[in-house]
Amino acid sequence: MAKRAAILARISDAEIDETAGVDDQVADMRKYVASRGWTLDEAHILIENDTSAYKVDKRTGRTNRPKFHKANDLLRTRAVDVLVVLDIDRLARQPRDLEDTIDIVTGSGFAVTCESLTGSCQLTDDSGIMVARIMCAAANKSSRDTARRVSRARQRQAEEGTFGGGRRPYGFADDGVSPIEFETAVIRRMADVVLLPTFGMPKGPSVAGIARDLRSDGIPAADGGQWTAPTVRDVLMRPRNAALMVHKKGTGRKTYGPGDVVGTAPWDAIVTPDEFWVIMGKLTDPNRRTNPGVAPRHLLSGIATCPCGAVVRVSGSSGKRDRPIYACQGGTGRAPGPHATAPQADLDALVEGLAVVILARDAADLIKPSQGTVDAGKLRGQVAVLRESKAQLGEDRDMGLVDRPEYLRRAKKLQVRIEDLERQLADVADVSPLAAFAGVESEDAARAVWEGLGVGTRREIVRAIMTITLKPAGKGFRPSIDQRVTIEPIKPQA
């Protein structure tokens, strides 16, 4: 009876939709299988395109290769009799991975095997296993040497402030150095939202809200696609936004800290270093929800109130979604009346027009003064030390050196100190929602700035400069929009 074969093709680096490398491997292995008189089910052609056999997941210490594991499963369950690969380094570059396959082969008494076209991986007897182990160790050493050379080259490039290559970073041209003015303005806009004191709080701005506003404004991401919460996060967490060049050993996606900075970039910073590290702290803080549920999509939802004290939200007018209104949420018996409604579009237009007037007149007085006397660098250093202490405490717990009650007591104490220092840092870098209006001296200029903001930032500005209370219209009476609302500007503090 003919043996049943499976084939595993792999290539480490490939562009999207580029399959020439693995296609060639599959073609060669098909011929090999046919020459041996084996059968091949199309479902047993396993392809790992753009997949590393060397990089390991930091959490598991193993490579992330679903198709490799499926190949092993086919051997383990005797669904196939032989696994075919082009070469040992297509099967494994990590000895741990190779040993997984060896265990299956030897456990079956060589009833199932693995063979390569080059002869470097012949798991058909003990001699073949010995050779495969040696060849895999050599492949692993080659990958380590390459990783070391690439890491050193990246470090040199970072220290020299040069672009290390790769896909075009958002905000910069293909050379990775020349800023694109429109895109750097978008990065600044996103950063300003994260720096708001209410970012990540319930009903406050969020990463998802930033992405939604960019999509609504028709602003494309670097690849021409739509913004998502992960792409917003990735762009905001790049040190290059603060003109910082960083280097950190290791593979895969990295999170950088001040200790990883090795140089300064030749371009102008989009955000200051202090602002950048505050942004990093907010986006990586597990205790802060950067996507706190569904953020309001309308300017005044949850902000404007009814005379009964309840907030208003958008709903359809008498069930008609084409005429949305702001409706009191307390009109279902939860609070005594009278209750109020107002057409959404009309009220938004009124509030936005008044906001522009207030911002042109009072923005300079309303903007929170800078806390320039605080040593932000010292605070960041203290936070880094405390976070390291907390991480070490966790390792001590895992090793059994600290029991759970003691761990919880000490961890809580460290977290309290960390949060206190981060609040001080936030006071340094938190941006007033009105910051973009600094220096604005006319209503035309204020209107231009307003139109460039997302809904999330506009909502924070409205909260900061006015209170809005709807008035009941009364039956049979259709007052104008300015008669249906009371708007009280918040006066600048003396």
Side-chain angles (χ1 to χ4, degrees):
M1 183 177 178
K3 286 187 176 182
R4 299 160 299 167
I7 61 179
L8 176 64
R10 185 188 68 80
I11 196 164
S12 298
D13 296 298
E15 296 295 330
I16 297 175
D17 297 329
E18 180 185 346
T19 63
V22 288
D23 289 344
D24 290 344
Q25 291 182 37
V26 170
D28 291 344
M29 287 186 282
R30 281 183 182 275
K31 293 178 183 178
Y32 180 82
V33 169
S35 71
R36 300 296 297 271
W38 299 337
T39 63
L40 176 63
D41 189 319
E42 293 297 314
H44 296 159
I45 298 175
L46 308 176
I47 296 176
E48 294 182 322
N49 199 28
D50 194 27
T51 302
S52 172
Y54 173 71
K55 295 178 181 179
V56 297
D57 189 312
K58 294 179 180 179
R59 297 168 297 179
T60 65
R62 301 300 299 270
T63 56
N64 184 18
R65 301 179 59 194
K67 294 298 179 66
F68 168 74
H69 296 307
K70 183 176 180 179
N72 279 342
D73 288 340
L74 291 174
L75 290 175
R76 184 182 296 107
T77 60
R78 308 287 180 92
V80 299
D81 304 300
V82 57
L83 174 64
V84 179
V85 294
L86 182 68
D87 186 82
I88 182 65
D89 63 5
R90 300 303 91 189
L91 176 70
R93 281 184 177 268
Q94 288 291 352
R96 287 183 179 181
D97 286 350
L98 177 62
E99 292 301 324
D100 286 346
T101 307
I102 290 174
D103 287 345
I104 296 170
V105 170
T106 57
S108 73
F110 294 101
V112 295
T113 60
C114 179
E115 299 185 18
S116 70
L117 274 62
T118 62
S120 59
C121 181
Q122 301 299 109
L123 305 185
T124 55
D125 54 34
D126 290 337
S127 295
I129 288 176
M130 179 189 70
V131 172
R133 282 172 170 154
I134 295 172
M135 298 297 287
C136 183
N140 182 268
K141 177 64 164 57
S142 175
S143 292
R144 288 181 179 275
D145 289 344
T146 299
R148 184 178 62 253
R149 290 194 298 270
V150 170
S151 178
R152 186 63 186 90
R154 294 288 190 189
Q155 181 179 352
R156 183 184 68 253
Q157 291 167 340
E159 291 170 345
E160 294 173 351
T162 58
F163 181 45
R167 296 177 181 176
R168 180 183 78 83
Y170 188 81
F172 298 84
D174 290 336
D175 62 7
V177 176
S178 303
I180 298 176
E181 184 176 354
F182 174 78
E183 293 186 358
T184 58
V186 172
I187 294 174
R188 180 71 250 186
R189 164 180 163 176
M190 292 190 291
D192 285 344
V193 176
V194 178
L195 290 169
L196 291 171
T198 54
F199 177 82
M201 295 182 179
K203 306 302 181 184
S206 67
V207 171
I210 295 173
R212 187 185 62 248
D213 286 348
L214 293 175
R215 293 194 300 269
S216 298
D217 292 345
I219 298 174
D223 61 359
Q226 292 195 333
W227 289 93
T228 63
T231 55
V232 169
R233 183 188 298 271
D234 287 346
V235 168
L236 288 174
M237 291 177 66
R238 297 179 320 186
R240 66 168 35 243
N241 296 339
L244 299 174
M245 303 302 291
V246 294
H247 177 72
K248 191 174 188 178
K249 293 182 179 180
T251 59
R253 182 170 296 183
K254 304 179 182 71
T255 298
Y256 298 99
D260 300 315
V261 177
V262 297
T264 302
W267 54 82
D268 292 335
I270 303 170
V271 298
T272 68
D274 283 341
E275 289 174 330
F276 174 73
W277 296 121
V278 170
I279 290 170
M280 284 289 289
K282 288 188 174 185
L283 295 180
T284 58
D285 184 356
N287 297 312
R288 181 187 292 268
R289 298 179 63 195
T290 54
N291 289 312
V294 179
R297 302 186 178 191
H298 306 287
L299 182 66
L300 304 176
S301 287
I303 296 176
T305 61
C306 175
C308 73
V311 296
V312 300
R313 300 191 187 283
V314 170
S315 64
S317 175
S318 300
K320 297 179 180 180
R321 292 292 176 181
D322 59 335
R323 290 189 293 174
I325 62 171
Y326 285 112
C328 171
Q329 299 298 293
T332 58
R334 291 190 297 271
H339 303 290
T341 64
Q344 179 207 345
D346 293 346
L347 184 55
D348 283 356
L350 177 66
V351 168
E352 291 189 8
L354 182 57
V356 166
V357 173
I358 294 174
L359 292 166
R361 184 189 64 202
D362 298 333
D365 296 323
L366 288 164
I367 293 174
K368 176 183 175 182
S370 173
Q371 304 293 321
T373 59
V374 177
D375 188 342
K378 182 178 179 180
L379 291 177
R380 286 198 305 272
Q382 292 174 343
V383 170
V385 170
L386 290 172
R387 287 193 180 279
E388 179 63 29
S389 297
K390 189 176 179 182
Q392 183 61 54
L393 179 62
E395 293 179 8
D396 290 347
R397 177 201 56 189
D398 294 341
M399 296 175 63
L401 301 177
V402 178
D403 60 22
R404 187 171 185 275
E406 178 65 9
Y407 165 77
L408 293 175
R409 184 187 68 79
R410 291 166 60 181
K412 182 178 180 180
K413 185 176 180 180
L414 286 169
Q415 185 62 35
V416 169
R417 294 172 63 191
I418 290 171
E419 291 177 358
D420 178 62
L421 290 172
E422 287 185 335
R423 277 192 293 270
Q424 294 180 52
L425 268 174
D427 287 340
V428 177
D430 269 341
V431 171
S432 165
L434 282 64
F437 294 87
V440 167
E441 297 179 350
S442 69
E443 291 184 16
D444 287 343
R447 185 174 295 104
V449 174
W450 178 270
E451 291 175 352
L453 302 175
V455 173
T457 304
R458 292 182 184 183
R459 286 172 53 82
E460 295 305 308
I461 291 173
V462 170
R463 289 183 195 273
I465 67 175
M466 66 178 73
T467 61
I468 305 160
T469 306
L470 274 58
K471 298 178 181 178
K475 293 184 179 181
F477 180 53
R478 299 181 66 86
S480 62
I481 188 61
D482 59 322
Q483 294 175 312
R484 300 180 68 165
V485 63
T486 299
I487 300 176
E488 295 288 346
I490 296 175
K491 296 180 180 180
Q493 294 182 354

